[in-house]
Amino acid sequence: MMNIKDIARLAGVSASTVSRVVNGKKYVKPEIRERVLDLVRENGYVPNNAARSMVLKRTFTVGIVVPDAFNMFQRQLFSAIERKLEGYGYGTRFFLVKAEPESEKACLGRLKAEMLDGVIMLLEVDDPEFYAVIADSGLPVVLCTFGRADLGLPSVHIDEEAAAKAATAHLIGLGHERIGLLAGAQFSFGKQRQAGYEAALREARIPVMAGRVVVVPSYTAEAGRMGMKELLGREADLTAIFAVTDELAVGAIRALYEAGRPVPDAMSVLGFDDIDISASLSPSLSTVRQPIAEIGTEAAEIIYRLISGVPAETDPIILPYTLLARETTKRREGRDRNGNMA
Amino acid sequence: MMNIKDIARLAGVSASTVSRVVNGKKYVKPEIRERVLDLVRENGYVPNNAARSMVLKRTFTVGIVVPDAFNMFQRQLFSAIERKLEGYGYGTRFFLVKAEPESEKACLGRLKAEMLDGVIMLLEVDDPEFYAVIADSGLPVVLCTFGRADLGLPSVHIDEEAAAKAATAHLIGLGHERIGLLAGAQFSFGKQRQAGYEAALREARIPVMAGRVVVVPSYTAEAGRMGMKELLGREADLTAIFAVTDELAVGAIRALYEAGRPVPDAMSVLGFDDIDISASLSPSLSTVRQPIAEIGTEAAEIIYRLISGVPAETDPIILPYTLLARETTKRREGRDRNGNMA
DNA sequence: TTGAAAGCGCTAACAA
DNA sequence: TTGTTAGCGCTTTCAA
């Protein structure tokens, strides 16, 4: 692999001159610039980033912390961030964290070792020390899809509780009263969405019954299927289900399918996130759309500003969600909650 | 951020000693080792990778080249690779390539700039020069999910054509004759799977008709939906569809759903890859399972061996596929190909 | 068992 | 406009 000295020797100039050419600096005679550029091309010379970042103290790289088993939602979010950052001349680097404390610790170490210019967290790490260490290392950081206003860290996300409340209200508006919930304990959105569900019920004066709620261990389709089976077993008269993620909803629909209960005729199902596949399902999944592209773009902009030295705005950026009433939710048949025919 | 000299000063030793301690070398007095280790922990010192790799000429990092819009299949593959490589003490770094020649070029540059120890290609790059440059830079490389035996590069993949042939034969075995194909032009598996489809038809003496084939521009659900609509428009009497990827199949099912043609009763649909969601769909998607974990593990092992200096085995590693006859394919109703009732 | 010194590839300040 | 020099943080001889 060629290095800057090789090119310098070939061009009969000093390494500094090559550096100037490669970095587009002024004060290089045009003919020399040409000569060097030709050599660079011919030899496929690319500056060594490690050496470069050592002297510059910058890597032009932003770390993206994601869960080990990141889903399509995070995948899409990442794309939006990547695209925006690329426009600013920054690259990205993945840091995968498993749902284990040691993994979070290890990630912190890797984050430090890489001399990143900034970090975007797509994963809500449990360990409060994690944020503390990052914060007082002075490394710019943005929380993306969740907030921690208490930590004074900038964040971009939707109003999870309001969105879940609106989602549940949609179901209620369709005449449903006995609404099951597939919730999750992992990450704060799990609890926030559950709170929104409860708030909507309360507002409609529908009793919140623990028997209608299942807290699943992970946000996968399989977990959704198991959760739905559980719900079906203990509570036979539900007419609608709110699953706190689309993957969960897909699994719930599967359980319903296996039980011979067609969606949406026998049961309405509502998801959350609007992952790629949701619109293409048959029937298409009703869900709450998070503005993925906007969230990603906004997070990228904030991190860029932070890196550029603009002081952090710690008020969370709350972006609007959209309720997508597609085909898995429908008006409840039979009597409505007042005993009249729908 | 602490550096090695800071720790050395704090411990009252030289940087060399700290280096020995951090790297677990011998010849350090136990008490000094302890003292240094304590300081390292207290101060959260982590060696700077850039500096480290500059002198070591190794980064303990393997680049993973993936398509910009990587799908769940590639996501899962990546997880398998990551896990295995982690066990060997190697990290991974993503290199996203868009479906544009400049993007491939840019990726090559980034690959060089990063001083990677090896590269695993999950994306089939068009530009033959790409492989050439990598190959003669001496950078270990493994092709994963596709092969290029002509280039003498090690690879891990299934027998795409045989798998597609078996898939089509499954449909034929179910009594289907008028089988549509949703194929794609991108990546060689598109053509290979199409070849398998044609081979199966020929073997069953079913005419291969161009009117039953649609070549879609991308492997997304939406492309599948459009392709299926096209097929439905021009050829009303198909009884089964083979989609060369699961995403395409999901879209095809969607088009069928919109057209009021239930799957599998009105039409059997068969996918390919067995992505995460396929088993959880309702009905669950019949497909060809690629042994994702094994492919990833094998690729990781090969790259590790290559990095360790074991000479490359350039014969492709062909792993077995599995036909998963789930719920979207069923025996054709009505008369079979000999005119008898099924 | 330890430390001093050199050097990895690059950029930037300074001198010419 | 160009080259020389120093130094980024680390590891590794080599010498002590």
Side-chain angles (χ1 to χ4, degrees), chain B residues 13 16-22 24-34 36:
Chain B
V13 297
S16 315
T17 299
V18 176
S19 175
R20 288 189 192 100
V21 171
V22 170
K25 296 275 167 80
K26 300 198 293 184
Y27 305 123
V28 180
K29 218 188 288 178
E31 60 202 74
I32 292 193
R33 183 181 296 277
E34 277 317 307
V36 171

Side-chain angles (χ1 to χ4, degrees), chain A:
Chain A
M1 204 74 92
M2 286 269 155
N3 67 30
I4 200 170
K5 282 186 189 165
D6 294 329
I7 300 292
R9 193 163 9 80
L10 256 32
V13 298
S14 75
S16 314
T17 299
V18 176
S19 175
R20 287 187 194 103
V21 171
V22 170
N23 293 294
K25 298 273 168 82
K26 300 198 296 184
Y27 306 123
V28 181
K29 217 189 289 179
E31 60 203 74
I32 292 195
R33 184 180 296 278
E34 277 317 307
R35 181 143 44 97
V36 171
L37 246 23
D38 284 347
L39 256 6
V40 165
R41 263 190 296 270
E42 275 170 37
N43 296 283
Y45 166 72
V46 176
N48 179 322
N49 274 346
R52 200 146 189 278
S53 65
M54 237 172 75
V55 22
L56 291 179
K57 305 267 190 202
R58 306 188 57 178
T59 52
F60 294 97
T61 300
V62 171
I64 314 281
V65 176
V66 290
D68 166 54
F70 60 97
N71 58 26
M72 280 319 262
F73 175 72
Q74 287 145 336
R75 218 291 275 131
Q76 289 172 245
L77 200 47
F78 165 72
S79 286
I81 294 171
E82 230 268 333
R83 191 155 313 129
K84 187 74 182 180
L85 247 23
E86 188 184 31
Y88 288 136
Y90 279 77
T92 53
R93 195 157 172 2
F94 266 103
F95 290 82
L96 295 149
V97 180
K98 297 186 183 60
E100 305 155 8
E102 324 97 78
S103 184
E104 295 182 1
K105 266 226 149 27
C107 177
L108 198 53
R110 289 187 298 136
L111 245 24
K112 281 182 170 179
E114 296 300 339
M115 312 218 354
L116 300 167
D117 292 350
V119 172
I120 295 179
M121 307 277 307
L122 256 39
L123 164 77
E124 191 176 351
V125 166
D126 280 333
D127 189 3
E129 204 200 309
F130 189 101
Y131 302 101
V133 172
I134 288 199
D136 64 47
S137 77
L139 182 62
V141 58
V142 176
L143 311 183
C144 191
T145 66
F146 67 99
R148 289 296 292 262
D150 55 313
L151 297 170
L153 259 21
S155 59
V156 186
H157 53 92
I158 61 169
D159 183 336
E160 299 280 356
E161 185 171 334
K165 186 177 167 195
T168 309
H170 163 64
L171 257 12
I172 295 170
L174 252 21
H176 297 280
E177 279 182 57
R178 296 188 303 280
I179 303 170
L181 177 72
L182 251 23
Q186 207 183 171
F187 310 131
S188 48
F189 77 74
K191 256 146 283 178
Q192 290 163 350
R193 292 178 192 177
Q194 179 165 2
Y197 158 88
E198 290 170 1
L201 292 186
R202 272 196 305 274
E203 193 168 290
R205 308 203 186 288
I206 297 172
V208 176
M209 296 173 60
R212 292 180 181 158
V213 175
V214 168
V215 176
V216 298
S218 73
Y219 298 112
T220 61
E222 181 54 20
R225 190 179 73 91
M226 298 304 290
M228 189 70 232
K229 277 183 76 167
E230 163 77 22
L231 228 34
L232 247 20
R234 63 159 99 137
E235 184 77 44
D237 62 348
L238 297 176
T239 65
I241 295 292
F242 173 35
V244 301
T245 73
D246 282 358
E247 278 95 344
L248 247 26
V250 167
I253 292 171
R254 175 73 205 167
L256 259 2
Y257 179 84
E258 289 172 2
R261 308 254 238 134
V263 172
D265 291 325
M267 184 92 71
S268 284
V269 176
L270 182 57
F272 201 116
D273 284 344
D274 192 31
I275 60 174
D276 249 354
I277 206 87
S278 299
S280 300
L281 296 176
S282 311
S284 57
L285 184 65
S286 293
T287 189
V288 177
R289 189 182 96 92
Q290 293 209 50
I292 303 190
E294 292 81 352
I295 294 177
T297 302
E298 189 68 41
E301 267 172 20
I302 295 176
I303 202 74
Y304 177 67
R305 256 182 269 134
L306 252 27
I307 293 172
S308 309
V310 179
E313 171 65 74
T314 55
D315 287 345
I317 308 285
I318 308 292
L319 263 18
Y321 56 84
T322 316
L323 182 69
L324 298 174
R326 290 202 279 232
E327 299 167 347
T328 55
T329 47
K330 74 176 269 200
R331 180 154 290 282
R332 184 192 154 209
E333 281 159 19
R335 299 181 182 284
D336 67 18
R337 51 190 304 217
N338 299 317
N340 304 317
M341 291 302 285

Side-chain angles (χ1 to χ4, degrees), chain B residues 43 54 121 131 220 222 240 261:
Chain B
N43 296 282
M54 236 171 80
M121 307 277 308
Y131 303 101
T220 61
E222 181 54 20
R261 309 254 239 133

Side-chain angles (χ1 to χ4, degrees), chain B residues 4 19 25 45 52:
Chain B
I4 200 169
S19 175
K25 296 275 167 80
Y45 166 72
R52 202 148 187 277

Side-chain angles (χ1 to χ4, degrees), chain B residues 77 144-145 156-158 290-300 319:
Chain B
L77 200 48
C144 191
T145 66
V156 186
H157 53 93
I158 61 169
Q290 294 208 50
I292 303 189
E294 292 81 352
I295 293 177
T297 302
E298 189 68 42
L319 262 18

